[in-house]
Amino acid sequence: MTPATSLFTPVEADLLLLADNLKQLVGNRHPILYAAAEHLFGAGGKRIRPAIVLLISRATMLEKDITQRHRRLAEITEMIHTASLVHDDVVDESVVRRGVPTVHSLFGNRIAVLAGDFLFAQSSWYLANLDNLEVVKLLSEVIMDLATGEIQQGLNRFDTSITLDTYLKKSYYKTASLIANSSKAAGVLSEVSQETAENLYGYGRDLGLAFQIVDDILDFTSSTDTLGKPVCSDLKSGNLTAPVLFAMEEKPYLEVLIEREFAQVGDLEQALALIHDSQGIGRARELAANHAKQAVEQIMNLSPSQERSCLIQLTDYVLSRLY
């Protein structure tokens, strides 16, 4: 498997600068919030979202260097993503993320919620200072989508009647919206045509959906060490993802186990056995591959460049996480 970071060679220097800037953007006026932010931004992670913004920025500015506004957009994208993770971990009561303790497990729920709010507020302030109304609208929509996705997931727990379409909408809100809208925003800052901007949005949307579907498959096929969080956590909490929805079509008894919320001894183990004995995981893989293919098609109208090649290879990387 190609590590994600090796795909980011054209923007390696940009990402190093981004890592330094993120801590400075948060500032040290609030020692606890600063400590929380330092913990978050120091926790590593692949920085996939800002890397996509920077790659698109460079792929659409081939004759010129990228601007300060492109760089700031990448930073805002990572701040929004990080803020959403902090809140997600509080809602999900997760103790670890990427193999390190979560903010709320270190600082408590109150500080974690405030730290997430603070990062959302900071990102909004920097967003307004880009002085580009279209970009402000695109990224503001992401913040609404993140909340919508989280609420939708909470309302649909253990609901066996949810459709694949509902699942994909929720996946768009929670994961793909940020990648789609920040990809389009990078194009807007490069002053690309309306058609190219929409294609960049489509690339981000389909890449984001493929990414989320793969994540949902890994919840069944990976280990706690690889995932950096407990496996099968989605199923245990009643979050029904693509492998489960496909498996239910073949294994009706799975619905019974889910609807009684795995209340009886051995229910969860039986549910997992049914999922693994079905075509659910294989069909989910096909769905992810289909979205990855669509993502590539969206950016074929960009001029050939090393950056465009990296964006195409990123779709292969997302799928390769399964093998």
Side-chain angles (χ1 to χ4, degrees), residues 89-110:
D89 288 339
V90 174
V91 172
D92 299 340
E93 299 177 353
S94 304
V95 181
V96 291
R97 157 92 57 185
R98 297 168 181 157
V100 298
T102 54
V103 172
H104 77 92
S105 68
L106 287 177
F107 300 96
N109 278 358
R110 190 164 165 270

Side-chain angles (χ1 to χ4, degrees), residues 164 167-168 171 175 206-220 241-243 246 280-281 283-292 318-319 321-322:
L164 187 66
Y167 159 76
L168 288 172
S171 300
T175 303
D206 283 308
L207 181 71
L209 288 173
F211 195 91
Q212 185 57 56
I213 296 161
V214 166
D215 250 15
D216 294 338
I217 294 168
L218 289 173
D219 199 44
F220 294 100
T241 58
F246 286 132
I281 289 168
R283 287 178 67 191
R285 276 197 182 113
E286 284 172 22
L287 184 64
N290 188 37
H291 280 291
V318 167
L319 297 177
R321 292 162 67 224
L322 292 171

Side-chain angles (χ1 to χ4, degrees), residues 151-160 162 166 238-240:
I151 291 164
Q152 203 174 77
Q153 184 168 298
L155 291 175
N156 292 337
R157 287 176 72 240
F158 299 103
D159 179 1
T160 56
I162 73 158
T166 302
N239 176 24
L240 309 186

Side-chain angles (χ1 to χ4, degrees), residues 24-63:
Q24 288 172 22
L25 289 180
V26 173
N28 54 10
R29 284 175 301 156
H30 312 283
I32 292 280
L33 288 176
Y34 183 68
E38 200 161 41
H39 168 72
L40 285 164
F41 295 132
K46 300 182 189 74
R47 304 249 191 264
I48 286 177
R49 288 153 190 84
I52 291 168
V53 169
L54 291 163
L55 284 168
I56 287 174
S57 300
R58 291 204 171 277
T60 51
M61 295 281 284
L62 289 177
E63 303 304 313

Side-chain angles (χ1 to χ4, degrees), residues 9-240:
T9 310
V11 293
E12 210 171 330
D14 300 325
L15 286 170
L16 285 172
L17 193 59
L18 174 125
D20 289 340
N21 283 351
L22 281 171
K23 289 179 196 173
Q24 288 172 22
L25 289 180
V26 173
N28 54 10
R29 284 175 301 156
H30 312 283
I32 292 280
L33 288 176
Y34 183 68
E38 200 161 41
H39 168 72
L40 285 164
F41 295 132
K46 300 182 189 74
R47 304 249 191 264
I48 286 177
R49 288 153 190 84
I52 291 168
V53 169
L54 291 163
L55 284 168
I56 287 174
S57 300
R58 291 204 171 277
T60 51
M61 295 281 284
L62 289 177
E63 303 304 313
K64 309 171 197 161
D65 196 12
I66 60 171
T67 67
Q68 242 354 87
R69 294 202 296 174
H70 287 107
R71 293 184 186 283
R72 185 49 51 89
L73 175 65
E75 290 155 9
I76 290 165
T77 300
E78 185 68 352
M79 286 174 91
I80 291 173
H81 173 57
T82 306
S84 74
L85 295 186
V86 178
H87 282 174
D88 277 3
D89 288 339
V90 174
V91 172
D92 299 340
E93 299 177 353
S94 304
V95 181
V96 291
R97 157 92 57 185
R98 297 168 181 157
V100 298
T102 54
V103 172
H104 77 92
S105 68
L106 287 177
F107 300 96
N109 278 358
R110 190 164 165 270
I111 292 297
V113 171
L114 291 171
D117 289 348
F118 180 70
L119 287 174
F120 275 130
Q122 283 280 71
S123 60
S124 299
W125 191 81
Y126 287 116
L127 188 56
N129 279 281
L130 287 178
D131 285 331
N132 185 304
L133 187 57
E134 190 176 355
V135 171
V136 171
K137 285 178 179 176
L138 288 168
L139 274 291
S140 300
E141 195 168 319
V142 170
I143 298 173
M144 286 193 294
D145 286 347
L146 287 166
T148 303
E150 200 59 53
I151 291 164
Q152 203 174 77
Q153 184 168 298
L155 291 175
N156 292 337
R157 287 176 72 240
F158 299 103
D159 179 1
T160 56
S161 69
I162 73 158
T163 62
L164 187 66
D165 191 45
T166 302
Y167 159 76
L168 288 172
K169 270 186 191 150
K170 186 261 301 179
S171 300
Y172 171 78
Y173 289 140
K174 285 199 69 174
T175 303
S177 173
L178 177 58
I179 303 174
N181 284 295
S182 60
S183 294
K184 182 177 178 179
V188 169
L189 291 178
S190 299
E191 299 180 355
V192 299
S193 69
Q194 186 62 39
E195 185 190 358
T196 300
E198 289 307 325
N199 286 341
L200 291 170
Y201 170 86
Y203 169 82
R205 179 197 59 221
D206 283 308
L207 181 71
L209 288 173
F211 195 91
Q212 185 57 56
I213 296 161
V214 166
D215 250 15
D216 294 338
I217 294 168
L218 289 173
D219 199 44
F220 294 100
T221 61
S222 194
S223 65
T224 301
D225 286 347
T226 309
L227 280 183
K229 62 178 184 177
V231 289
C232 298
S233 52
D234 280 330
L235 185 62
K236 281 178 202 163
S237 62
N239 176 24
L240 309 186

